[in-house]
């Protein structure tokens, strides 16, 4: 077994250990059928923040190379223990759900980018890192734009517009939801 194959093999064996570092009970997988509830927000509010709430999401990306073929697994999760709510009402919760839905949009965008990627033995590590990094940077910019334009949900008209926009984007990327 070559050194390269040993490294890939060791990486594949260690990936499940990293995945186990976060309890399944701590994470909520994104689902069109399950919306967030305030009881999902387990962390204490940040006393240094004036935000009404904070939603922590995580987009997971694992890949494997076998016989020069790329396979991958993606996940979009909400972190219960890193998310908190100070002012808990339905309106603010819908804004926070918007953040989770945006994470799902960018998970689907990542799935789309990966489905279009042409595997290259010589550069796949850098290529995949760039695809992931670029997608995450775009997600963070989009999340910030959402907060800025809605004034953190305080602009009711913009908030309603954004929720429709998010719903439309989820629908437009539905073909990439089976990641």
């Amino acid at each position: 077994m070559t050194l390269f194959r040993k490294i890939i093999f060791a990486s594949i064996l260690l990936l499940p250990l990293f995945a186990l570092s976060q309890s399944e009970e701590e994470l909520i997988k994104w689902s069109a059928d399950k919306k967030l509830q305030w009881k999902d927000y387990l962390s204490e509010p940040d006393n240094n923040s004036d935000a009404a709430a904070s939603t922590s999401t995580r987009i997971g990306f694992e890949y494997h190379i076998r016989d020069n073929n790329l396979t991958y697994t993606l996940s979009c999760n909400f972190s219960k223990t890193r998310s908190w709510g100070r002012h808990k009402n339905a309106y603010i919760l819908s804004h926070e759900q918007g953040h989770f839905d945006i994470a799902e949009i960018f998970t689907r965008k990542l799935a789309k980018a990966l489905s279009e990627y042409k595997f290259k033995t010589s550069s796949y590590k850098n290529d995949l890192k760039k695809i992931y990094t670029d997608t995450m940077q775009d997600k963070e910019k989009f999340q910030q734009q959402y907060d800025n334009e809605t004034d953190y949900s305080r602009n009711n008209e913009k908030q309603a517009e954004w929720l429709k926009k998010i719903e439309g984007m989820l629908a437009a990327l539905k073909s990439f939801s089976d990641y």
Side-chain angles (χ1 to χ4, degrees):
M1 187 179 290
T2 68
L3 178 59
F4 177 75
R5 286 185 184 227
K6 286 180 185 177
I7 291 170
I8 293 296
F9 184 71
S11 297
I12 291 170
L13 288 177
L14 292 175
L15 282 174
L17 296 176
F18 293 120
L20 291 174
S21 68
Q22 198 149 30
S23 162
E24 286 293 322
E25 295 164 4
E26 194 270 324
L27 298 174
I28 296 174
K29 183 179 190 254
W30 189 93
S31 168
D33 299 327
K34 184 187 181 329
K35 299 299 180 190
L36 295 174
Q37 301 175 36
W38 283 120
K39 69 180 183 175
D40 299 325
Y41 288 72
L42 301 180
S43 186
E44 290 296 317
D46 181 351
N47 291 328
N48 297 318
S49 173
D50 62 352
S54 178
T55 294
S56 178
T57 59
R58 195 167 284 168
I59 296 176
F61 171 42
E62 289 182 31
Y63 69 86
H64 306 281
I65 308 298
R66 177 176 232 147
D67 299 326
N68 289 328
N69 288 312
L70 169 70
T71 59
Y72 55 87
T73 304
L74 301 176
S75 62
C76 178
N77 295 295
F78 166 87
S79 172
K80 292 181 179 183
T81 59
R82 294 174 188 243
S83 300
W84 53 266
R86 178 175 288 122
H87 304 293
K88 297 180 179 182
N89 61 51
Y91 181 76
I92 292 172
L93 186 60
S94 72
H95 177 82
E96 296 306 311
Q97 179 68 50
H99 282 293
F100 193 18
D101 293 345
I102 289 169
E104 174 63 13
I105 287 167
F106 281 86
T107 306
R108 292 178 187 188
K109 284 182 176 237
L110 179 59
K112 181 179 187 297
L114 291 169
S115 73
E116 295 167 349
Y117 174 68
K118 303 296 183 219
F119 180 78
K120 298 175 208 136
T121 305
S122 62
S123 63
Y124 76 89
K125 287 182 185 179
N126 288 333
D127 297 342
L128 297 176
K129 181 178 180 179
K130 180 169 179 20
I131 290 168
Y132 181 81
T133 301
D134 289 351
T135 304
M136 294 308 102
Q137 287 174 347
D138 290 346
K139 176 186 73 82
E140 289 308 312
K141 287 177 194 170
F142 200 80
Q143 294 278 21
Q144 192 59 54
Q145 183 183 3
Y146 173 54
D147 276 338
N148 290 342
E149 290 186 15
T150 64
D151 191 21
Y152 297 87
S153 83
R154 291 182 287 250
N155 183 327
N156 295 352
E157 185 179 318
K158 283 292 187 184
Q159 181 63 40
E161 287 175 19
W162 264 91
L163 292 180
K164 285 183 182 176
K165 177 179 181 174
I166 290 167
E167 185 180 319
M169 291 177 78
L170 284 168
L173 290 163
K174 187 171 176 57
S175 62
F176 297 97
S177 63
D178 189 22
Y179 48 82

